[in-house]
Amino acid sequence: MENLIALLVAAPLVGAALLLCGGKRLDRTGAWIGSLFAVASFAVAAVLFADMLGKSAEDRAVHQHLFSWIPVGGFQADVGFQLDQLSMTFVLLITGVGSLIHIYSIGYMEHDERRRRFFGYLNLFLAAMLLLVLADNYLLLYVGWEGVGLASYLLIGFWQHKPSAATAAKKAFLVNRVGDVGLSIAIMLMFTTFGTFAFGPVLAATGDTSEGKLTAIGLMLLLAACGKSAQVPLQSWLGDAMEGPTPVSALIHAATMVTAGVYLITRSGAIFNAAPDAQTAVVAVGAVTLLFGAIVGCAKDDIKKALAGSTMSQIGYMILAAGLGPIGYAFAIMHLVTHGFFKAGLFLGAGSVMHGMNDEVDMRHYGGLRKYMPVTFVTFGLGYLAIIGFPGLSGFFSKDKIIEAAFAKGGTEGWILGGAALLGAAITAFYMTRVMLMTFFGEKRWAETPGAAAPGQQVQHPHESPKVMTIPMIVLAVGSVFAGALFSVNEAFVTWLEPVTSFAHGHSPLSATAITASTIVVLLIGVGLAWQMYGRKPVPAVAPRGSLLTRAARRDLLQDDFNHIVLVRGGEHLTRTLVYLDHSVVDGAVNGTAASMGGLSGRLRQLQSGFVRSYAVQMLGGAAVLVAATLLMRGV
Amino acid sequence: MNPVYYLYLAALLFTIGAAGVLIRRNAIVVFMCIELMLNACNLAFVVFSRMHGNLDGQIIAFFTMVVAAAEVVVGLAIIVSIFRTRHTASVDDASLMKL
Amino acid sequence: MADFSFPLLTATAAVPAIGAVATAAVPAAKRTAAKWLALLFSLATFVLAVVIAVRFRPGAEGPYQLTESHAWIQDFGVRYELGVDGIAVALIALTALLIPFVILAGWHDADPLESASDSGSAAGSNSRWRPTQGFFALILAVEAMVILSFEATDVFLFYIFFEAMLIPMYFLIGGFGDRAGAHGEEQAATQRSYAAVKFLLYNLAGGLIMLAAVIGLYAVTADQLGSGTFSLQQIVEARTSGKLDFGTGTERLLFLGFFFAFAVKAPLWPLHTWLPNAMGESTSPVAVLITAVVDKVGTFAMLRFCLQLFPEASSWATPVILVLALISVIYGALLAVGQRDIKRLIAYASISHFGFIILGIFAMTTQGQSGATLYMVNHGISTAALMLVAGFLITRRGSRLIADYGGVQKVAPVLAGTFLIGGLATLSLPGLAPFISEFLVLVGTFSRYPVIGIIASVGIVLAALYVLVLYQRTMTGPVKAKVEGMPDLRARELVVVAPLIALLLFLGVYPKPLTDIVNPAVDHTLSVVDKKDPKPAVRVDAVPGAGRPGHAVHDQEVEAAK
């Protein structure tokens, strides 16, 4: 059965190769072929899952060793897969949500003439992402890690003719590369410390290693996670990444790829458990990002960017949970899965809205759409209720557990983290209600006839999306509603993951009931505040100037400005200076030598007068010097 | 007689020849002065041969004569052709053999 | 020798040499015949290189195989000695592989200008001016000399070919350039001859200093061994057995003499400035020849001659060389970011990559040196892919300036796609071959010099920056005026690019054939230098329950082999 693991990766890879090399012949059928390979991968995953369920908890992890990849001295990298409960969870999420989004894209990309390539890239992404979660060593994980980065680059920049898309793609890749350096240094550290970088031996050997080394490895892994999962300080790319087609935002920049950082930290749990300093850094990053993303999400008028801020914030929750150690890993992954459902659903809903609104993304030009797009409204609404943690829906179960675990961290730290998580929950409720109200409720702020349209505004004929798009949305909405409850029955999810991530019950200073109650209270506060601001009075079609914080949040809390001034401008100056120096100093030294040689020989040339008699004098003089020298030497 | 005197003579002849090469402009005269220098060398070689009691010097003297003869052939040909084209035999006028 | 064996190594070098003469002798009117002839000979060379690779037995007794040895200049102990180790086999294969692509890519680069044939069509037919024949003959001549310098195990023999290849290279750079320069033919010709002279002078200066060291080497061996020798194997043996002792000062001087020449060729900062000029001004196939083939002789010679002849001096110089290599890595990448000319950008990227190679060589670890050798091969292939596609692009538009392009992706998607893959290989994306070599070099460096390893890792980010900026500015965005109607890759061009890309993918997924050949040679080099890999801090085997079955089997096999 374990021989099937390779098939999981191979299926979408074959699809990608077929679609990218197939040429124009496949233009018409490309979308279906791509979706077929995605679904095939999901089918294999389902078979493997059924098989895994049939085994006892200890025997569930299976390995498939393919071949020796890079054997050089003590450096032995293999291509091998490891499928345990953690990878299985991810595989199901990736192939499941991935298949749904493939199907959705058939409708969404129907009119794009380059859709064959789009599906090729999507398949490539699936293959890379599956490689990432299935690899049995860090180096192979790194291949998947950069592979998803490449797919993300290609898909963000899919509409390459738009300079903004091309720039966003480049930015995403570069920022990710900074994180990748962290991963590559972590692997090097593992190699010098343990002599290997396969999961099994490394994670088993943490007990014998000095804490300093483990902290260094942990911090490097955290850097990698920050890059891929858009955590502060490497979060700046995610907002721009919304330039990509919306299915891409749903699949890559919400449900799967951006959660890779959480996977990395959870997978490396043994390292972090033995390095408390690194764990502190992880929870700090998580807590800061969950507030950062939430604040940014409150100010954005672009529906996708608002959702992107929300993604950042929710992943902040997961990173925070993963940083708490055994009391949090399982909840991090649980939130990751439920988030995969409701955030993918929200993005697909946003895509559906855009699809019906001529690709308009500004929420200030929406309004009152619930009547025109009932299915989208309902599915989006369920996703909304799930993400704000409405009691009974999946977000409620997973987020509540994280908040509880944060308090259980203990001491002042626990209070700070728990407080931040609660505050985040309030802001989440606020900005998601804002999105909901601005899009589906209130007066319509768009025009159906050219006469009524404001300057620069398009004429809109909002309509519901075709079935091929709404069905995936419905499936995801069902997941958003029930997944959390399903996972929480008898702590099913925690039991399932425990053999891999280990689990410990946290002891929170507040009782679980108190925490649940306060979560619901802050939720109501957030919703109420948003209702007060956006529900009771009409939303202006042009954004008001806003407070200082709002303006800063619109500009991603000025992080981009900082990057631009320090890194971009500074870098430009540096390279320009270096180009100048290379020409004038390094090359100049050589050219100067050449020039002075030329000058010297020009002067020496004067001696060549052409007059025979002057040559004769030189010869005579030379002979005289030679004779004199000989005599002198003799004399000595 | 002391053979050293012959060496003095050879040195004197060489000096005269060298001075002539440096001072005179007429190519023919310069040429004759070169011959004078060569012959001064020949004289010195013969004297050394006598002094050391072997034939090496005399053999080299013969070599010199052969070289001198060859040089005369080539050199006079050049001088004649320069004279034909330029109607002058002054060495200072032919200064074009430079870069 | 009792049993006569076919002189395979000589033949592999002789075929392109004969090809060069034959191509040069083709009459002026039969240009196309000359091209096919050159291609045929280069393919024959490739077949012979494959035969070498097949006959080579990795891990067999002795450092060199397929050896040939004949007396040559007996008075000075110069012998015609050839032999290959795994590193040489890999590089010979690379050279023989790339030359057919270079010839195919430069198919029309040396055709006489149409305007010239118009002005003297009558004179053109019976003119003895044969640029096409010359171009391809020179390429084959370079190939012959490069192959011989990879094969030579006699220091003097190596020196001869190391220097002699400058002559055809000089003519290739100075004589053939891109058709329409931005500034007109006259100025292009001036810049071209500047580049050619600069190339020649830099390399000659290095070569002359090396000559002095070669003579010094002879003097020392003549002094201490009784009869002077240039034979690498003899000198290494005499040194390990203690019969030969250079003395610290002499050894360092000789080392510097050799290293200087190789550092110019490689090129190492601050001796690099000839490369951007040479690559910028020559046609892109010639630029590939420079950076992918000829420059490799420099780094190869560091491994074969500098380390093995002068191990102690190599260790002595290591800190300085590592710092210079590190500067090359960062400096080359930063300058690549600042370039406005596509070809110069690729040239500076190459400088950065050569920094990595030298870093790997002088880290003196198995991973570093194997990585460096793989890097030489992979860099050859990836730069060839990127540079040749860039050349196709430049031929279409007649400009090397990045700013003249934009939106190519829209009109020529295949061209843009192959360019992107070449670029991704250049930035060492995992899954493509250069990743493996770059990571090995970094690991090898890191395990001995962590700080240098970490700083070099910054090069990874910078590589992404210059590649993606180049791609963004040329290929994406709105279509520029003169880019419209640009044809996509033609069949001939696809034949050039597709195999290179396939090879990049294959070696990225399954590099084992290459590492199997290279590893024994690296082990030999390191044993001569007397360096061992640093041990990991924690012995994983000591941890109970650690290690997977696969690894256990591997360890057992290793022990059984011992």
Side-chain angles (χ1 to χ4, degrees), chain B residues 3-86:
Chain B
V4 176
Y5 293 134
Y6 291 99
L7 288 182
Y8 288 142
L9 177 61
L12 188 66
L13 286 174
F14 189 88
T15 314
I16 293 171
V21 170
L22 295 180
I23 292 165
R24 299 302 297 261
R25 284 183 196 171
N26 189 302
I28 303 288
V29 178
V30 169
F31 210 68
M32 291 191 331
C33 290
I34 291 172
E35 291 300 309
L36 198 58
M37 288 161 74
L38 284 172
N39 281 321
C41 296
N42 276 349
L43 183 57
F45 276 127
V46 175
V47 172
F48 286 132
S49 169
R50 174 82 183 172
M51 284 166 74
H52 295 305
N54 61 22
L55 289 175
D56 291 0
Q58 299 195 23
I59 290 167
I60 293 190
F62 278 116
F63 270 117
T64 317
M65 283 181 209
V66 173
V67 171
E71 182 210 333
V72 167
V73 173
V74 177
L76 274 181
I78 293 172
I79 290 170
V80 167
S81 80
I82 288 179
F83 187 76
R84 277 207 188 138
T85 52
R86 308 192 156 221

Side-chain angles (χ1 to χ4, degrees), chain C residues 2 8 73 76 91 103 108 239 286 319 361 412-413 458 468 505 557:
Chain C
L8 190 56
I73 313 177
F76 296 106
L91 289 170
I103 288 176
H108 297 300
R239 226 194 49 79
V286 174
I361 293 175
V458 176
L468 295 184
L505 278 167
E557 277 170 3

Side-chain angles (χ1 to χ4, degrees), chain C residues 23 25 96 175 193 202 206 211 230 235 295 313 324 351 433-434 513 515 517 520 526 528 562:
Chain C
T23 311
S193 62
Y202 263 85
L211 179 62
F230 288 108
I235 295 174
D295 284 354
L324 289 179
I351 291 170
T515 52
I517 290 183
L526 280 174
V528 171
K562 280 173 191 163

Side-chain angles (χ1 to χ4, degrees), chain A residues 79-381:
Chain A
V79 174
F81 297 127
Q82 167 181 341
L83 185 70
D84 55 15
Q85 290 89 330
L86 181 61
S87 343
M88 193 71 237
T89 312
F90 270 90
V91 167
L92 288 173
L93 177 73
I94 295 161
T95 53
V97 177
S99 300
L100 289 176
I101 288 175
H102 269 81
I103 294 167
Y104 175 89
S105 305
I106 296 175
Y108 191 83
M109 299 300 281
E110 198 178 359
H111 304 294
D112 196 300
E113 58 183 19
R114 290 167 66 239
R115 64 183 180 282
R116 169 176 61 88
R117 217 162 307 162
F118 179 82
F119 281 89
Y121 294 157
L122 271 189
N123 272 345
L124 180 66
F125 167 77
L126 277 191
M129 190 70 205
L130 288 168
L131 185 65
L132 196 166
V133 297
L134 284 170
D136 72 348
N137 63 71
Y138 282 96
L139 197 67
L140 195 61
L141 180 147
Y142 187 45
V143 175
W145 191 264
E146 287 232 13
V148 292
L150 170 69
S152 153
Y153 167 79
L154 292 169
L155 285 165
I156 296 171
F158 184 71
W159 288 314
Q160 307 203 0
H161 52 92
K162 286 200 302 191
S164 59
T167 310
K170 183 187 69 183
K171 182 176 177 187
F173 196 95
L174 282 176
V175 177
N176 268 299
R177 264 259 152 154
V178 176
D180 296 351
V181 170
L183 184 52
S184 93
I185 292 176
I187 297 174
M188 291 182 223
L189 270 168
M190 285 175 201
F191 176 67
T192 52
T193 313
F194 307 110
T196 176
F197 35 79
F199 289 150
V202 167
L203 299 177
T206 46
D208 302 354
T209 315
S210 72
E211 201 184 307
K213 282 231 161 97
L214 291 175
T215 307
I217 294 175
L219 289 177
M220 285 299 126
L221 290 174
L222 175 64
L223 179 65
C226 284
K228 194 65 59 192
S229 294
Q231 300 295 294
V232 174
L234 297 177
Q235 86 295 357
S236 64
W237 62 273
L238 188 62
D240 293 347
M242 297 300 126
E243 287 287 344
T246 308
V248 173
S249 313
L251 177 61
I252 300 184
H253 305 120
T256 55
M257 183 188 89
V258 284
T259 58
V262 184
Y263 171 76
L264 185 67
I265 292 175
T266 312
R267 177 58 83 193
S268 317
I271 295 174
F272 284 96
N273 293 345
D277 291 343
Q279 275 189 322
T280 311
V282 174
V283 288
V285 165
V288 169
T289 312
L290 83 86
L291 292 175
F292 187 107
I295 293 170
V296 170
C298 295
K300 294 286 183 186
D301 289 332
D302 180 327
I303 184 167
K304 287 178 72 183
K305 290 199 171 168
L307 289 177
S310 155
T311 306
M312 226 183 264
S313 167
Q314 297 302 314
I315 297 171
Y317 274 106
M318 300 172 209
I319 296 274
L320 169 65
L324 295 172
I327 55 171
Y329 292 131
F331 301 129
I333 303 298
M334 186 164 137
H335 191 54
L336 190 153
V337 175
T338 54
H339 174 257
F341 284 119
F342 57 69
K343 188 52 70 63
L346 288 171
F347 263 111
L348 293 189
S352 172
V353 170
M354 287 162 60
H355 194 70
M357 294 282 286
N358 286 328
D359 287 334
E360 175 66 79
V361 290
D362 192 342
M363 291 189 290
R364 291 190 186 276
H365 298 160
Y366 292 168
L369 289 175
R370 68 180 182 280
K371 273 172 281 177
Y372 301 86
M373 306 176 177
V375 182
T376 307
F377 167 65
V378 171
T379 54
F380 196 95

Side-chain angles (χ1 to χ4, degrees), chain A residues 67 69 71-72 114 117 139 142 153 160 166-167 170 173-174 177 191-195 201 575 582 587 590-591, chain C residues 194 198 202 272-273 331 334 348 367 409 427 435 443 447 460 465 471-472 476-477 508-509 511 519 536-538 540:
Chain A
F67 55 89
W69 183 28
V72 176
R114 290 167 66 239
R117 217 162 307 162
L139 197 67
Y142 187 45
Y153 167 79
Q160 307 203 0
T167 310
K170 183 187 69 183
F173 196 95
L174 282 176
R177 264 259 152 154
F191 176 67
T192 52
T193 313
F194 307 110
T575 52
D582 192 55
D587 216 12
V590 179
N591 283 344
Chain C
Y194 171 75
K198 199 170 177 183
Y202 263 85
H272 63 276
T273 51
Y331 186 89
L334 280 173
Y348 277 106
Q367 292 81 37
Q409 203 276 335
L427 65 77
F435 163 71
V443 162
S447 58
I460 299 180
L465 184 60
Y471 184 80
Q472 187 194 349
T476 68
V509 176
N519 284 341
V538 179
V540 166

